[in-house]
């Protein structure tokens, strides 16, 4: 899940890495969504198929494409815990 404590709706871009290579999330290379203010969004997904034990992790980018000087919220990147997916 991704929480939003900003006090306003926040757009996000979410990517997934499997063994440090970007993989699709629910058929999308990048998953775009908005989390309403003071709310939490749950992203359901299937773990990728692997042939051996591989690391898997998500990275969320708030305010994608809204980079402006002094807008530091857009500079942050949030990551999930790195997990290992087994066959």
């Amino acid at each position: 899940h991704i929480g939003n404590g900003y006090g306003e709706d926040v757009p996000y871009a979410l990517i997934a890495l499997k063994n440090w290579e970007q993989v699709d999330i629910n058929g999308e290379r990048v998953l775009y969504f908005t989390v309403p203010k003071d709310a939490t969004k749950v992203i359901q997904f299937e773990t990728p198929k692997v042939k051996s034990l591989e690391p898997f992790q998500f990275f969320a980018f708030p305010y994608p494409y809204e980079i402006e000087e002094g807008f530091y919220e857009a500079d942050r990147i949030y990551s999930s815990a790195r997990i290992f997916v087994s066959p």
Side-chain angles (χ1 to χ4, degrees), residues 5-72:
Y6 284 104
E8 63 182 32
D9 293 355
V10 177
Y12 280 91
L14 184 71
I15 65 167
L17 300 181
K18 180 185 77 157
N19 201 22
W20 306 113
E21 297 288 331
Q22 188 172 348
V23 294
D24 288 354
I25 306 167
N26 300 335
E28 300 288 333
R29 197 71 170 157
V30 179
L31 192 61
Y32 295 97
F33 56 90
T34 298
V35 180
K37 70 177 185 172
D38 302 319
T40 300
K41 174 112 174 142
V42 175
I43 308 294
Q44 295 192 11
F45 66 96
E46 289 189 31
T47 53
K49 305 290 185 222
V50 295
K51 294 181 181 176
S52 61
L53 193 66
E54 295 189 50
F56 184 70
Q57 190 169 13
F58 288 103
F59 291 90
F61 301 84
Y63 302 100
Y65 308 112
E66 295 182 37
I67 302 295
E68 298 175 12
E69 186 174 341
F71 186 43
Y72 300 110

